[in-house]
Amino acid sequence: MTSPLKRPLLLSAFLGLAGCATTVDGPAQAIPGPPALNDSNVFCEASRTELVIPVGEAFAEGTLVRDFYTGNTARVRDGQVTMTPDDNAEGLLLLEPVDETAHAFTWAGATVYFAVTDRFANGRTDNDINYGRQKDGKDEIGTFHGGDFAGLTQKLDYLADLGVDALWITPPFEQMHGWVGGGDRGDFRHYGYHGYYALDFTVPDANFGTREEFRTLVQQAHQRGIRVVMDVVMNHPGYSSLQDMQTFDFGALHSGFEKHLPEHWGDWRPESWENHHAYHALIDYDHADWRNWWGKDWVRAGIADYDTPHSASVDPVRGSLAFLPDFKTESTKPVKLPVFLRNKESSRAEHLDNATVREYLITWLTDWVREFGVDGFRVDTAKHVEPDAWRELKARAQEALDDYRERHPDAALPSEEFWMVAEVFPHSVRKTSYFDAGFDAVINFDLQAEAKAGARCLQAMEPIYREYADKLHGDDPFNVLSYISSHDTKLFAQIAGDDNTLKKRAAAALLFTPGAVQLFYGDESGRAFGPTGSDPHQGTRSAMNWQAIEAGEVSDILNHWRTLGQFRQRHPAIGAGEHKLISQQPYVFSRQHGDDTVVIAFGSRN
């Protein structure tokens, strides 16, 4: 990868080309670099006038091409076409042959939509409160908002209109029933609304919906050609909480401290001088009854007779993340089903003969594939579990998908090969050992910063696009999943501030990126950062802005994302193809993958 320190040095050479028609015939290394990524003064005003677009060798002489944005056509003469961008296209022309045929899907060019189930769409209000959970009556930073499988199902046509190939949903498992203190200051109640605090991996959380509603979601998605990628966690379960201690009879309070708690322990409130972390002082973490929780053979938790883990920063595989219990996935010791799961009537967990922790977890996770036909896993905290576990998970998941396909021969099933993508912070566009551990792709954390300049002036993406395409589709191909917004970093809307033009233009910077790309729910509609308390990530998970969408307040942004998303879906070459720069002003490049070829042009007036 080009050093970030070198890129800004190319700024003056790049900007010197503005306003002149420059076709690139020379080698790739002669292409100028982008503006400095943090230069807020670099902004290209989009052209709305007629443009002469060279098409290089992408389209043969005489080919009739269409601008997907407007539907207007032109014939290639002397290696170029003359067309005018739509007034709403931000200077873009999306050129494809008029006699275009359908092109086969490939994950190398996929568009993945990531929705935090609880925050996306509330399809049923009667399941909003379960297990004694409560709203906080304030900012609702870490409470359940009501989003569910039914809501996701109702919005599948919305996703199809965006050109989405796959829907990535947060873990659907039953979460810890209670809450823990949120943020460094314990200034809010933090429930497992996001799905990463699992209590029981074998059943869906009642707030998200029922098994049949999950089945309907997957089936309806498949009927629209949308794959379902399920977020999974093998590194840790959820925390313990007062509410779960009382419900499932594990752990213990210090003797006599029950008097400091209400009848329902989960209703506890801190005094005016306390915060939401203060309840820990009531709990006897050395009590023998912690054996009724996961048990020392299952997790490292540093309580009672459990092993005490190092921090994950010291031991990435056997350490603890954010004080969460760490599953002993590396252990070869057979374990019994945890006591609380044995006694939990609603659990589908069963005893497995001579099974290790890893074997239990893999069985539980792949059962969702075997029963519902899930197409892929997004794997949370991949670097904190040994690679052999991921290889085994991938193999078992493929077996489960094959089994599902065999049992449902007439169903709409878009996937034959199970897909797995790893979250490895802060991975970039490079092929690493994770691809030998069963992963088909790794999340790329670099694009978020790089796309800011591209939203201001698409030409800034040229060296990035070239670098990504050369690496991903070279002699040793691999794939990454790139994003501009994330639940664990920031929203692009935060980067853009109040500038709706940047929120709109970010579509091109992201959707023209080589490899697979991820939309975070609301990227396409300018969803705003929400209340966050002392945890800066909570605000990235604000409620989807359906009211603004339905009122037409963000139609200009949304319609632009839809058009570009549909164009990308029609042409896997955009993500999977060879990238060639044709012209620098106007900025024109082609992508080609097999018989699929497109030319994308961006005209600016400066």
Side-chain angles (χ1 to χ4, degrees), residues 217-237:
L217 168 62
V218 177
Q219 290 176 344
Q220 289 294 312
H222 285 171
Q223 289 178 17
R224 293 162 174 80
I226 297 174
R227 295 144 185 84
V228 176
V229 176
M230 195 175 85
D231 213 324
V232 298
V233 189
M234 278 208 325
N235 173 257
H236 58 266

Side-chain angles (χ1 to χ4, degrees), residues 156-219:
L156 286 172
D157 286 338
Y158 170 88
L159 299 182
D161 286 344
L162 282 170
V164 168
D165 298 305
L167 169 61
W168 157 16
I169 61 170
T170 43
F173 323 119
E174 184 176 334
Q175 300 296 293
M176 62 181 195
H177 293 182
W179 52 268
V180 292
D184 293 339
R185 298 197 300 270
D187 47 342
F188 60 91
R189 290 181 165 200
H190 188 174
Y191 288 98
Y193 70 87
H194 40 62
Y196 299 107
Y197 295 163
L199 174 79
D200 186 344
F201 290 83
T202 69
V203 293
D205 194 279
N207 273 70
F208 303 148
T210 66
R211 291 167 58 79
E212 288 310 308
E213 285 170 329
F214 186 81
R215 191 187 316 277
T216 298
L217 168 62
V218 177
Q219 290 176 344

Side-chain angles (χ1 to χ4, degrees), residues 526-566:
R527 176 174 62 90
F529 188 72
T532 206
S534 60
D535 181 346
H537 295 148
Q538 297 299 324
T540 66
R541 308 158 192 175
S542 56
M544 181 64 175
N545 56 334
W546 293 116
Q547 185 173 352
I549 291 171
E550 292 163 3
E553 297 170 7
V554 293
S555 295
D556 188 47
I557 299 172
L558 178 57
N559 290 337
H560 187 70
W561 278 82
R562 280 175 174 159
T563 302
L564 270 59
Q566 291 171 16

